[in-house]
Amino acid sequence: MKILVTNDDGVNAPGLWKVAGALKDLGNVMVSAPDRDQSGIGTSMTLLDVVKAREVASPPIEGIRTFAIEGTPADCVILATEALSPSPFDIVVSGINEGSNLGLDMLTSGTVGAAFQGYFRGIHSVAVSVASLTNVQFEAAACAARSIVKTIAASDIDPPLFLNVNLPNSAPNLIKGADITRLGHRLYLENVERGSNGRRTHYWIKHNRLVNRAAAEDTDIWAVRNSRVAITPLNAFLEPGWHSPDLQPIADGVMGALNGGGG
Amino acid sequence: MKILVTNDDGVNAPGLWKVAGALKDLGNVMVSAPDRDQSGIGTSMTLLDVVKAREVASPPIEGIRTFAIEGTPADCVILATEALSPSPFDIVVSGINEGSNLGLDMLTSGTVGAAFQGYFRGIHSVAVSVASLTNVQFEAAACAARSIVKTIAASDIDPPLFLNVNLPNSAPNLIKGADITRLGHRLYLENVERGSNGRRTHYWIKHNRLVNRAAAEDTDIWAVRNSRVAITPLNAFLEPGWHSPDLQPIADGVMGALNGGGG
Amino acid sequence: MKILVTNDDGVNAPGLWKVAGALKDLGNVMVSAPDRDQSGIGTSMTLLDVVKAREVASPPIEGIRTFAIEGTPADCVILATEALSPSPFDIVVSGINEGSNLGLDMLTSGTVGAAFQGYFRGIHSVAVSVASLTNVQFEAAACAARSIVKTIAASDIDPPLFLNVNLPNSAPNLIKGADITRLGHRLYLENVERGSNGRRTHYWIKHNRLVNRAAAEDTDIWAVRNSRVAITPLNAFLEPGWHSPDLQPIADGVMGALNGGGG
Amino acid sequence: MKILVTNDDGVNAPGLWKVAGALKDLGNVMVSAPDRDQSGIGTSMTLLDVVKAREVASPPIEGIRTFAIEGTPADCVILATEALSPSPFDIVVSGINEGSNLGLDMLTSGTVGAAFQGYFRGIHSVAVSVASLTNVQFEAAACAARSIVKTIAASDIDPPLFLNVNLPNSAPNLIKGADITRLGHRLYLENVERGSNGRRTHYWIKHNRLVNRAAAEDTDIWAVRNSRVAITPLNAFLEPGWHSPDLQPIADGVMGALNGGGG
C-alpha cells in the first residue's frame, strides 16, 4: 500500500510526523507537505506562479521520502500525485492538524483542502484534526488514523472515501466513542482587528468568533464536544440518492484501537 | 439595499465592473476586491499575516466606494463586512468570473470562496461565472445577476441563499433556458508541467485536464453545455432533510431579463 | 527624450504622479511601478518566480503609458527596459518617495534599488525623496526633478549619472540651497517588536531607530537637516581616481527652479 | 567569540553548513537563515508584514542553535541581533553562496544584503561566495572563512570590517593567491524572457547576461578569473579619505590556510 501524508501546519509540524510514524509499517509512506505553516489556506492551489519542491535530506523519520513544497497543501497533493511519485497512491492522510476542522469551518482548512485533491483523483482521503490549538495530544489521533487506514485497506470500498476525522484533545482512554457524523454549521467565524505600523492601517483576521449555535446530536461538532471521535464522510455534493457505504467497521476499528486492541 | 461586489480576478477585471454597473441603481454598491488576480485561491483566508486595504481614489464607476485588498477574495468579504463598511450588507455578488466554476471545481474557485464568506455571515450570496477564458461575453451574466438580486430583494427568503450561477459564453438571446441545478463532479483536474531556471526544477500546475465524464441532466455542467444558465443552490452541507426554497421565480426572472423583459 | 518613471511606494502613490506630471512635457514619459507598496525592498529583484505586468487602462494622467508590476522596483525597471518598451530610455526617475533615503539607508530603499537598475544599464538615473513620512510636500521635489532632467538633457554627460536626491519637507521658497553631497552613515537602524497571534510569536521590523551621530557638513544628512536639497552622486564604487563630472549646474538649476525661474 | 552565520540560499543549503562546521570550534555559532532560497533578494528587509521565525529542532550540526526565518537574509540578521540572541555577536559570516557576488552585482545579492546588516550594527561582517552555480566546491571557501574569522578575532581592528570574499570554484591547492581587491563593474545584467500560462503573459528575469568588459587587475572580477581569492573591503561609501586597515594579514592567513597551514 502506498500512502501519501500531508498537512497544512507544515513539514516541520509534530502532528505530521506522529501520523507518518504511526502509518510507517502499513506500507510505503511518502510525505509531501508545505514548507511553511499554511493554516487558513483552504482549498487554494497555485495556478499563477511556479511551485518549488525540495527533497528533505534528513527527514525526522529515516526512510520516509519527504518533500517540502513552497506552496499550499493542495499543491502538495497535486505535485505528489502528478509529478513527484513514480507510482500512484492508495490513500492520502492529511494531518494531524493542531485545531479542529469541524462543521463548515472545514472549507477553509488546508488540511481538508489537501485531502480534497486526493479524493478528486480517486484516492481514499482522510483528514485528521485534534480540537485544540495548545498542548495538542496526538496519540489518539495517530492511533485512529492507523486504524482507519488499516480498515480501508482491508475492505474494497468503491468509490473512494473522503473522511473528515476530528478528535477531542484527550488521551486515548478518555475518548468515549467514535461516531459516523455529518457536518455541523460553522463553529467559528472571524473577527478583524485593526493595527498600524505608524503610517498605515492594516488588519488581522482572527478565526476565533465562536458561533453560539446548538449542534445536533448527529453532527461532528456535537461528537467532539462530547469526548467522541467524529468521522464525517463527504457525500452530499455528489449524487442526490447517495448513500455512504457502511462506515461502522471504521468507527468500531477506531474504538478498538483506542482501547488498546490496535496493532 | 446594500450590495457588496467582489471577485477573484482582481479589482481591475472587467467582469467586476460589468456587474457593479448592472447593480448600481438597485441599491448602495460597495466593491471590495483583491488587488491582484487570485484565480485558484479557493476558500483561502489570511490568518498568518496582516492584510492591507487601499481605497481606490478614482474607481471606474464614479460613486462606488472601492477597496483594493492585498489578500484573498475571502479576505475581501471578511474585511468588508467586519471592518470596512459602517453598515451590514443585504447581498454579496462575486464575479463575473472569467471561466466556469462548475461542479466540484467550484471548491477551488476564489469567486465561490468569497461568496461563502457572505453566506456564512447570513447574507444572501451569489457567485457568477461565464464558461470561457477568452473573449468573455459579460452581458448575459450581468443581466442575470441583476435579475437575481432583484428577485431576492423582492422576496423574503430565509435562511439566506447561496447560489452558484454559471452561464455559457453567449449573447443573451442565444441562451436557451435557466435551470435550477445541482453540482456535477469535477470538470477539470490539474496537470503538472516541469520547468527549470537552469539550476533548479520548478512546477506549473495547470487546471486544464478535462474529466471525461457524462454529466447528468440535472447538473450545472449539463446545463451550461446545453447553452443554459445553471443556478445551483448550495444545500447538502447543512441539514439532512434540507429543501431548497422554491427557486423557480429566480430562474424565470433570469430568462425574462435575458429575453429583454428585465428592468 | 524618453523618460521612465518608477518608485517603491506603488503605482497608486501620489508622489509618482506628481513627478510624472512635472516631467510630462519634457519628453515621452512611461510609468512602470509596483502594484503594491514595496518600502524596504531595497535592491531586490525577482529571480525565482515569474513577474506579471498589467497595463493600467486609465492612468491618473492621460497619455502616459503605465504598467503595474507584481514585483519589486528593480523588476519594474528591468521589465520596462528589457521587455515593455519598444525603444530605449534616456533617463530613469524614481520617486517621489515619501520618506528620506539618506546616507547608507539608501541601500535598503526600493526607490534607489530601482534607480540602480537604470544606472547599470547605462541610463542616467535619479532617485528623489522627501524627508517626511506624513504630510509630504511634493511640490519642491517635482520641481527639482524637472530641473535636473532638463539640465541632464541639455548637457552631454558621459558616463551616465546616478543621483540620489533628497529634499526637506518644505515649500519651495523655504529651501535654502542645493548642495552636491556625499553619503552620510546610516541615519536609522531597525528595532524589532514582538507580537503574537495567540499561538505563535511574530516580529515586526521597524526602521525607526535614529542613529545619533553627527553628520559632516558635506553629507546628504547635514544638507537636509539644514533645509537644503542634497544631491549625491554615486561614485566611489567604481574607479579609484573617479571624479564626478561638474554637477554645480545641476544644483544651480534646482535652486533656480525652486526660486521660480524654472520652466 | 559569538558568530552569526546566515546566507541567502536558505537554511537547508549545503554551503551554510560547510561554513558553520568550519567555524564551530572558534566560538559560539548561531544560525539564522531564510527558510527558502532568496537569491536576488539583495538588501530587502520586511517592513510591511510580520516576520516569523522557527527554531530548527534538529539542525544538521548538533549544538548549533538554528532559526529558519520566513523572511529575507537582511531580516535574518536583524532578528538575530535584535531579538533572537540574548548576547551580541562579534562577527557575521554570510554564505557560502553558490554563485559569485562580484563587482556591483553584489548589490543585488542577499548574501551581501545580510552582511550589510551586521556591518551597520558595528559587527565585523564577511560575505563568502564561490563563483559557480553548479558542482560548487565549498572546501576552499570554508577554509578561507575560518582563517579570516581567526585573523579578525586575533586583531583589534576598529571600526568594523566589511569584507566581500569571492573564490574560484577550485580545490584549495589550485588557488593561486589571495588579493585585497576593489569592486569591479557589473559582471552580469539581466535578460527577460516572456512566458504564458495560456491566457496571460508573464516574465522571467534571468541574471545571466555577461557584461563583456575588461576587468582591471586590482578588481575582484580579475582576481577570481585568475584563480585567486578576492577579498574586497567595503570602503568608499563612508569617508572621503578613508583608508582600509592593513588587510594583508587576512590575505596571508587565507593562503596559509589553503596551503594546509590552517588550524
Side-chain angles (χ1 to χ4, degrees):
Chain A
M1 180 167 46
K2 186 135 187 199
I3 304 168
L4 175 62
V5 175
T6 188
N7 74 348
D8 79 347
D9 288 332
V11 73
N12 298 290
L16 178 86
W17 294 103
K18 294 285 187 203
V19 77
L23 300 177
K24 198 190 166 193
D25 71 331
L26 299 184
N28 181 352
V29 174
M30 183 172 129
V31 167
S32 173
D35 68 335
R36 293 180 175 174
D37 185 358
Q38 298 274 327
S39 298
I41 201 82
T43 61
S44 178
M45 60 185 172
T46 305
L47 298 180
L48 303 174
D49 274 299
V50 297
V51 180
K52 280 156 273 178
R54 176 176 60 79
E55 184 160 1
V56 176
S58 303
I61 299 179
E62 209 182 335
I64 295 186
R65 200 171 180 206
T66 301
F67 292 91
I69 310 293
E70 297 185 18
T72 71
D75 294 345
C76 294
V77 175
I78 294 172
L79 255 66
T81 54
E82 307 289 345
L84 300 176
S85 171
S87 59
F89 294 97
D90 299 294
I91 193 158
V92 173
V93 176
S94 181
I96 302 168
N97 192 60
E98 302 186 29
S100 68
N101 285 305
L102 290 164
L104 290 174
D105 295 39
M106 68 102 188
L107 280 176
T108 54
S109 155
T111 310
V112 174
F116 273 138
Q117 293 297 336
Y119 176 66
F120 291 147
R121 282 167 171 72
I123 308 170
H124 297 295
S125 295
V126 183
V128 184
S129 307
V130 175
S132 178
L133 294 170
T134 51
N135 299 317
V136 181
Q137 300 184 46
F138 296 110
E139 188 189 346
C143 176
R146 177 181 165 85
S147 168
I148 291 170
V149 168
K150 284 176 68 177
T151 306
I152 291 176
S155 70
D156 54 355
I157 297 169
D158 182 73
L161 286 179
F162 181 99
L163 300 179
N164 184 34
V165 180
N166 281 269
L167 291 100
N169 192 31
S170 308
N173 64 319
L174 298 177
I175 290 178
K176 296 183 180 158
D179 297 345
I180 309 302
T181 51
R182 61 180 179 87
L183 289 176
H185 287 80
R186 286 284 292 236
L187 182 56
Y188 292 96
L189 283 171
E190 292 76 28
N191 288 305
V192 174
E193 294 175 10
R194 274 188 178 75
S196 171
N197 67 352
R199 290 181 68 195
R200 241 166 291 189
T201 301
H202 58 242
Y203 302 89
W204 276 109
I205 298 176
K206 309 267 170 148
H207 182 65
N208 62 4
R209 193 201 318 177
L210 188 61
V211 178
N212 269 320
R213 215 186 255 140
E217 284 212 13
D218 57 349
T219 62
D220 53 354
I221 296 174
W222 186 91
V224 169
R225 283 182 179 162
N226 288 275
S227 299
R228 305 176 72 84
V229 181
I231 303 171
T232 308
L234 182 82
N235 54 0
F237 289 112
L238 296 173
E239 308 296 333
W242 187 82
H243 288 286
S244 169
D246 181 13
L247 299 178
Q248 197 57 45
I250 286 179
D252 293 345
V254 165
M255 281 314 292
L258 292 178
N259 290 331
Chain B
M1 181 166 45
K2 185 137 188 196
I3 304 167
L4 175 61
V5 175
T6 188
N7 74 348
D8 79 348
D9 288 332
V11 72
N12 297 291
L16 178 87
W17 294 102
K18 293 287 186 201
V19 76
L23 300 176
K24 197 189 167 192
D25 71 331
L26 299 183
N28 181 353
V29 174
M30 184 172 128
V31 167
S32 174
D35 69 335
R36 294 180 175 173
D37 185 356
Q38 299 274 326
S39 298
I41 201 81
T43 61
S44 178
M45 59 184 173
T46 305
L47 298 180
L48 303 174
D49 274 299
V50 298
V51 180
K52 281 155 271 178
R54 177 176 59 80
E55 184 159 1
V56 176
S58 303
I61 299 180
E62 210 182 336
I64 295 186
R65 201 172 179 204
T66 302
F67 292 90
I69 310 292
E70 297 184 19
T72 70
D75 293 345
C76 293
V77 175
I78 294 172
L79 254 66
T81 53
E82 307 290 344
L84 300 176
S85 171
S87 58
F89 294 97
D90 299 295
I91 194 158
V92 173
V93 177
S94 181
I96 302 167
N97 192 61
E98 302 186 28
S100 68
N101 285 305
L102 289 165
L104 289 175
D105 294 38
M106 68 104 187
L107 280 177
T108 53
S109 154
T111 310
V112 174
F116 273 138
Q117 292 296 336
Y119 175 67
F120 291 146
R121 283 169 170 70
I123 309 169
H124 297 296
S125 295
V126 183
V128 184
S129 307
V130 176
S132 176
L133 293 170
T134 51
N135 299 318
V136 181
Q137 300 185 46
F138 295 111
E139 188 189 347
C143 176
R146 177 183 166 84
S147 168
I148 291 169
V149 169
K150 284 175 69 177
T151 306
I152 291 176
S155 70
D156 52 357
I157 297 170
D158 182 72
L161 286 178
F162 180 98
L163 300 179
N164 185 33
V165 180
N166 280 269
L167 291 98
N169 192 32
S170 308
N173 64 318
L174 298 178
I175 291 178
K176 296 184 182 159
D179 298 344
I180 309 302
T181 49
R182 61 180 178 88
L183 289 176
H185 286 79
R186 286 283 294 237
L187 182 55
Y188 292 97
L189 283 171
E190 293 76 27
N191 289 304
V192 173
E193 295 175 9
R194 274 187 178 75
S196 172
N197 68 351
R199 289 181 69 195
R200 240 166 291 188
T201 302
H202 56 242
Y203 302 89
W204 277 108
I205 298 175
K206 309 267 170 148
H207 183 64
N208 62 5
R209 193 201 319 178
L210 189 60
V211 179
N212 268 321
R213 216 186 253 138
E217 283 214 13
D218 56 349
T219 62
D220 54 354
I221 296 173
W222 186 91
V224 170
R225 282 183 179 162
N226 288 276
S227 299
R228 305 176 73 84
V229 181
I231 303 171
T232 308
L234 181 82
N235 55 358
F237 290 111
L238 296 172
E239 308 296 335
W242 187 82
H243 289 286
S244 169
D246 181 12
L247 299 177
Q248 199 56 47
I250 286 180
D252 293 346
V254 165
M255 281 314 294
L258 292 178
N259 290 331
Chain C
M1 179 166 46
K2 186 135 187 197
I3 304 168
L4 175 61
V5 175
T6 188
N7 74 348
D8 80 347
D9 288 331
V11 72
N12 297 290
L16 178 87
W17 294 102
K18 293 287 185 201
V19 76
L23 300 177
K24 198 189 166 190
D25 71 331
L26 299 184
N28 181 354
V29 173
M30 184 171 129
V31 167
S32 173
D35 69 335
R36 293 180 175 172
D37 185 357
Q38 299 274 328
S39 299
I41 200 80
T43 60
S44 178
M45 60 184 172
T46 304
L47 298 180
L48 303 174
D49 274 298
V50 298
V51 180
K52 281 156 270 178
R54 177 177 59 81
E55 184 159 0
V56 175
S58 302
I61 300 179
E62 209 181 336
I64 295 186
R65 200 172 180 203
T66 301
F67 292 90
I69 310 292
E70 297 185 18
T72 71
D75 293 346
C76 293
V77 174
I78 294 172
L79 255 66
T81 53
E82 306 290 345
L84 300 176
S85 171
S87 58
F89 294 97
D90 299 294
I91 193 158
V92 172
V93 176
S94 181
I96 302 169
N97 192 60
E98 302 187 29
S100 67
N101 285 305
L102 289 165
L104 290 175
D105 294 38
M106 68 102 187
L107 280 176
T108 53
S109 156
T111 310
V112 173
F116 274 137
Q117 293 296 337
Y119 176 66
F120 290 146
R121 283 167 169 71
I123 308 169
H124 297 295
S125 295
V126 183
V128 184
S129 307
V130 175
S132 177
L133 292 170
T134 51
N135 299 318
V136 181
Q137 301 184 47
F138 295 111
E139 188 189 347
C143 176
R146 178 181 164 86
S147 168
I148 292 169
V149 169
K150 285 175 68 177
T151 306
I152 290 175
S155 70
D156 53 357
I157 298 169
D158 182 74
L161 285 179
F162 181 97
L163 301 179
N164 185 33
V165 180
N166 281 270
L167 291 99
N169 192 31
S170 308
N173 64 318
L174 297 178
I175 290 177
K176 296 184 180 159
D179 298 344
I180 308 302
T181 50
R182 63 181 177 86
L183 289 177
H185 287 79
R186 286 282 294 236
L187 181 55
Y188 292 96
L189 282 171
E190 293 76 27
N191 288 303
V192 174
E193 294 175 10
R194 274 187 177 76
S196 172
N197 68 351
R199 288 181 70 195
R200 241 165 291 189
T201 303
H202 57 242
Y203 302 89
W204 276 107
I205 298 175
K206 308 269 171 148
H207 183 65
N208 62 5
R209 191 198 321 176
L210 189 61
V211 178
N212 268 320
R213 216 186 252 138
E217 284 212 15
D218 57 349
T219 62
D220 53 354
I221 296 174
W222 187 92
V224 170
R225 283 182 179 162
N226 288 276
S227 299
R228 304 175 74 85
V229 181
I231 303 170
T232 307
L234 183 82
N235 54 1
F237 289 111
L238 296 172
E239 308 295 336
W242 187 81
H243 289 286
S244 169
D246 181 13
L247 299 177
Q248 198 54 47
I250 286 179
D252 293 345
V254 165
M255 282 313 293
L258 292 177
N259 290 330
Chain D
M1 179 167 45
K2 187 136 187 197
I3 305 168
L4 176 61
V5 175
T6 189
N7 75 347
D8 79 347
D9 288 332
V11 72
N12 298 290
L16 178 86
W17 293 103
K18 295 285 188 203
V19 76
L23 299 177
K24 198 190 166 193
D25 71 332
L26 299 183
N28 181 353
V29 174
M30 184 171 129
V31 167
S32 173
D35 69 335
R36 294 180 174 172
D37 185 358
Q38 298 274 327
S39 299
I41 202 80
T43 61
S44 178
M45 60 184 172
T46 305
L47 298 179
L48 303 174
D49 274 298
V50 298
V51 179
K52 280 155 273 177
R54 177 176 59 81
E55 184 159 0
V56 175
S58 303
I61 299 181
E62 209 182 335
I64 295 186
R65 200 171 180 205
T66 302
F67 292 91
I69 310 292
E70 297 184 18
T72 71
D75 293 345
C76 294
V77 175
I78 295 171
L79 255 66
T81 53
E82 308 290 343
L84 299 176
S85 171
S87 59
F89 294 97
D90 299 295
I91 194 158
V92 173
V93 176
S94 181
I96 303 167
N97 192 62
E98 302 185 29
S100 68
N101 285 304
L102 290 163
L104 290 174
D105 294 38
M106 68 103 188
L107 280 176
T108 54
S109 154
T111 310
V112 174
F116 273 138
Q117 293 296 336
Y119 176 66
F120 290 147
R121 281 167 172 72
I123 308 170
H124 297 295
S125 295
V126 183
V128 184
S129 306
V130 175
S132 177
L133 293 170
T134 52
N135 299 319
V136 181
Q137 301 185 47
F138 295 111
E139 188 190 346
C143 176
R146 178 182 164 85
S147 168
I148 291 169
V149 169
K150 284 175 69 177
T151 306
I152 291 176
S155 71
D156 53 355
I157 297 169
D158 182 73
L161 285 179
F162 181 99
L163 301 179
N164 184 33
V165 180
N166 281 270
L167 291 99
N169 192 31
S170 308
N173 65 318
L174 298 178
I175 291 178
K176 297 185 182 159
D179 298 345
I180 309 302
T181 50
R182 62 180 179 87
L183 289 176
H185 287 79
R186 286 284 293 236
L187 182 55
Y188 291 96
L189 283 172
E190 293 75 28
N191 288 305
V192 173
E193 294 175 9
R194 273 188 178 75
S196 172
N197 67 352
R199 291 180 69 194
R200 239 165 292 189
T201 302
H202 57 242
Y203 302 89
W204 277 109
I205 298 175
K206 309 267 171 150
H207 182 64
N208 62 4
R209 192 201 318 179
L210 188 62
V211 179
N212 269 320
R213 215 185 253 138
E217 284 212 13
D218 57 349
T219 62
D220 54 354
I221 296 173
W222 186 90
V224 170
R225 282 183 179 163
N226 288 275
S227 300
R228 306 175 73 84
V229 181
I231 302 171
T232 308
L234 181 82
N235 54 0
F237 288 110
L238 295 172
E239 308 296 335
W242 187 82
H243 288 287
S244 170
D246 181 11
L247 299 178
Q248 198 56 46
I250 286 179
D252 293 345
V254 166
M255 281 315 292
L258 292 178
N259 289 331

